[in-house]
Amino acid sequence: MTSPAWLSDAVFYQIYPQSFADSDGDGIGDFAGIESRLDHLAWLGVNAVWLNPCFKSPFRDAGYDVADYLTVAPRYGTNDDLAKLVDAAGRRGIRVLLDLVAGHTSDQHPWFTAEAASAADPAEDRYIWAEAAPADLGAGWVPSPGSRPGSYQRNFFDSQPALNFGYARLDPAEPWRLPVDAPGPRANREALFRIMDHWLRLGVSGFRVDMAASLVKDDPEKAETVKLWQELRARLDAEHPEAILLSEWGHPEVSVPGGFHADFFLHFGGPTRGRAMRSLWNNGAGTDDDTWDPIDCFFDAEGKGSPRVFHEAWQAAAAAVGPEHLVLPTSNHDFSRLACGPRTAEQLPAAFAFQLTWPTLPAIYYGDEIGMRYVPGLPDKEGSVLGPRYNRAGSRTPMQWDATPGAGFSTAPPESFYLPPDPAPDRPDVASQRAAEDSLLHQVRRLIELRKSAPELGPLSPVEVIGDTYPFVYVRGDRYLIAVNPRREAAATTVRGWEGAEPVLTSGALLTGTELAVPGFGYGIFSLSRN
């Protein structure tokens, strides 16, 4: 299976729709608001947008509890508004991807609640049911809310019943373990394809699939889950060959051969539970899980971390599936922003210089391009709090478009916003940074422009690491020398064979003969003509 040609040139941008731009003054972002800000994305150089779930939902988990896969949530507009957004984005060369919640629905979905549906009919097996009470089944089971006796299995919150895609391993003592080809699992596979087909015909370019590894239960090697996605991918390739599937899996060695065009480096997932991504960005000051193994991150002012953890994980994944199938995000709706805790604005350019020149597909989380901060201490909002130090709301605050009290996000009073804006008086905003050529926003734009103009900086070009400490130094395509120094203290090294290389984009870095000097929080991209 091959990928559409456009994917290797993609620069993704993730939009949390309720927090991006509000067009109607109700304090919640919407499709028309996103459409009104597409010129910002086009100017920035973004060419693919991923929207968090925008389907009808009771929003107990911010839209990851879907009540109707074929109708958008009224808070965002109508299906026609989404089609209009997709068309407007396409005219600017921007593709739109939707978020597909494949493993569970809301407990308000008609499949679950309607008369003769799962909560009422003991013969209906679209969800996973057992006749016993939760106390007799263990964690993850919820008592039936309807006339059907027994309990259903949840995937995440109690309000998210797990769709039944079958079990990889059967057990006569647990009769709810149905095979993957039972009627309910087959119906769910078909429904997934029909949902994707519906939106692809409207004009979207693909899907980011939520918790893609979670579908088939008790599938330790993920073999049956892989077969399921391979089947769906083959059908998509036949009918929508330009569409793509991105997986929230965190284990590309499995997910990409399993049918996905690309997989994310995540703060969780895979055999190391996201250690590679956390070794870059996680300073423990934002969303943090007490069960994660502690590791000093490389982008740390004190210089405690190392790029080797990420580099080794990237090497293994790139060797297995190719770097053009790996996505490196700045952050996401579940994880701390780059600007978090002690990490200040002056530390961010080096992070973007790395992310936009390393051989992966880059994904920028909305607002990271201006250095929006993770806002601590917010109340629980639509299921944002997962633990004592794990509040996702801090990464979901309103986009900061200008310096007005409402940050240009909405005409509503800020106290009625979906989430309160960053209260800091010096919070960054797009308008101020557009006016300042040395701003982070302009640096990110220049980095994207360089990446798009130089094939050597894309995912298909080789990389050679020649210094894996501070500074981190690597060569792309035998033409570009790149050095990033995320620590406060200056760093220097010797590089041979690059005498005469010219600076292309730099933030303080100097190459003098064979001596490469990079100031604290600096970076440099140098080019040597290879005629």
Side-chain angles (χ1 to χ4, degrees):
M1 294 186 287
T2 59
S3 295
W6 67 266
L7 180 59
S8 63
D9 295 322
V11 177
F12 289 101
Y13 188 94
Q14 180 189 348
I15 290 178
Y16 197 66
Q18 49 262 63
S19 294
F20 195 64
D22 170 26
S23 71
D24 58 8
D26 66 355
I28 299 177
D30 47 48
F31 295 137
I34 296 171
E35 184 182 347
S36 73
R37 297 295 186 174
L38 287 173
D39 286 342
H40 167 70
L41 302 183
W43 174 86
L44 185 61
V46 167
N47 55 17
V49 164
W50 152 39
L51 304 179
N52 283 94
C54 53
F55 306 117
K56 185 178 178 182
S57 169
F59 289 99
R60 294 176 186 167
D61 186 19
Y64 282 93
D65 46 333
V66 177
D68 183 350
Y69 286 102
L70 301 183
T71 304
V72 303
R75 64 163 53 169
Y76 303 129
T78 66
N79 285 23
D80 286 342
D81 292 328
L82 177 56
K84 189 169 177 282
L85 168 61
V86 170
D87 180 67
R91 292 197 304 272
R92 293 166 173 82
I94 300 172
R95 299 172 185 269
V96 176
L97 282 71
L98 301 183
D99 203 317
L100 178 64
V101 184
H104 55 263
T105 70
S106 164
D107 60 4
Q108 303 303 306
H109 196 291
W111 293 343
F112 192 77
T113 61
E115 185 177 352
S118 204
D121 181 1
E124 205 283 330
D125 59 0
R126 292 289 289 269
Y127 298 86
I128 302 171
W129 287 88
E131 294 183 358
D136 298 323
L137 296 167
W141 292 89
V142 183
S144 172
S147 59
R148 181 174 186 163
S151 311
Y152 66 87
Q153 190 174 98
R154 61 172 169 81
N155 252 7
F156 198 56
F157 293 133
D158 286 358
S159 58
Q160 293 166 316
L163 286 166
N164 190 358
F165 292 94
Y167 278 76
R169 298 188 292 196
L170 306 182
D171 183 346
E174 297 182 350
W176 59 84
R177 291 177 174 252
L178 298 182
V180 295
D181 59 352
R186 286 203 312 270
N188 285 331
R189 289 203 304 273
E190 182 62 26
L192 278 185
F193 177 76
R194 293 302 169 196
I195 292 163
M196 291 189 286
D197 179 71
H198 173 85
W199 294 109
L200 290 168
R201 292 184 187 279
L202 181 139
V204 305
S205 293
F207 302 89
R208 175 266 192 188
V209 180
D210 174 68
M211 298 296 291
S214 71
L215 273 59
V216 177
K217 301 302 183 186
D218 195 10
D219 189 14
E221 302 302 321
K222 301 302 178 186
E224 292 298 333
T225 303
V226 160
K227 290 178 185 177
L228 183 156
W229 285 115
Q230 287 174 334
E231 173 191 322
L232 291 171
R233 168 71 183 277
R235 295 181 69 180
L236 286 178
D237 283 351
E239 299 196 29
H240 303 281
E242 289 296 296
I244 65 164
L245 294 176
L246 307 180
S247 63
E248 185 192 34
W249 196 307
H251 196 188
E253 294 93 327
V254 175
S255 60
V256 173
F260 287 89
H261 294 82
D263 192 7
F264 287 83
F265 282 102
L266 296 169
H267 56 287
F268 70 96
T272 65
R273 302 187 64 212
R275 184 177 175 87
M277 181 179 169
R278 288 186 284 109
S279 76
L280 292 176
W281 315 132
N282 186 36
N283 59 18
T287 51
D288 199 55
D289 191 321
D290 292 336
T291 66
W292 289 341
D293 56 324
I295 183 171
D296 292 318
C297 63
F298 178 55
F299 285 84
D300 169 70
E302 304 308 315
K304 297 177 181 178
S306 168
R308 293 173 198 140
V309 176
F310 174 80
H311 182 212
E312 289 171 1
W314 174 89
Q315 280 182 308
V321 303
E324 70 274 20
H325 301 292
L326 311 176
V327 184
L328 178 61
T330 56
S331 57
N332 61 47
H333 61 290
D334 287 336
F335 188 57
S336 311
R337 289 188 175 276
L338 286 180
C340 178
R343 188 177 295 127
T344 58
E346 62 184 336
Q347 297 175 249
L348 304 183
F352 275 102
F354 166 72
Q355 190 225 14
L356 289 165
T357 61
W358 189 259
T360 59
L361 302 173
I364 298 170
Y365 186 51
Y366 83 96
D368 279 356
E369 74 272 25
I370 59 170
M372 276 181 59
R373 301 181 180 98
Y374 173 88
V375 180
L378 295 179
D380 186 27
K381 180 67 174 183
E382 297 183 351
S384 65
V385 175
L386 300 183
R389 295 191 301 118
Y390 205 149
N391 186 351
R392 302 176 291 174
S395 293
R396 301 175 176 183
T397 55
M399 180 67 175
Q400 294 154 201
W401 295 104
D402 60 37
T404 61
F409 164 70
S410 173
T411 58
E415 59 269 20
S416 67
F417 285 9
Y418 173 78
L419 280 168
D422 181 354
D426 63 343
R427 68 187 179 207
D429 66 80
V430 171
S432 299
Q433 293 200 13
R434 279 286 295 264
E437 282 291 326
D438 61 347
S439 67
L440 175 65
L441 179 61
H442 275 280
Q443 291 187 69
V444 173
R445 180 176 185 254
R446 288 191 287 267
L447 285 162
I448 292 174
E449 185 177 39
L450 175 63
R451 178 189 178 91
K452 292 168 75 173
S453 68
E456 296 89 348
L457 296 178
L460 298 175
S461 180
V463 64
E464 177 189 4
V465 172
I466 58 177
D468 62 355
T469 179
Y470 296 90
F472 187 34
V473 185
Y474 49 97
V475 174
R476 296 300 316 278
D478 200 32
R479 181 181 175 191
Y480 288 95
L481 176 73
I482 298 143
V484 294
N485 180 25
R487 73 181 185 186
R488 181 179 293 107
E489 183 182 347
T493 190
T494 299
V495 293
R496 303 192 183 280
W498 288 86
E499 295 85 347
E502 295 292 330
V504 178
L505 286 178
T506 64
S507 178
L510 292 174
L511 180 61
T512 307
T514 61
E515 298 305 308
L516 177 60
V518 191
F521 308 142
Y523 69 85
I525 303 172
F526 302 87
S527 175
L528 189 62
S529 176
R530 300 291 189 184
N531 296 329

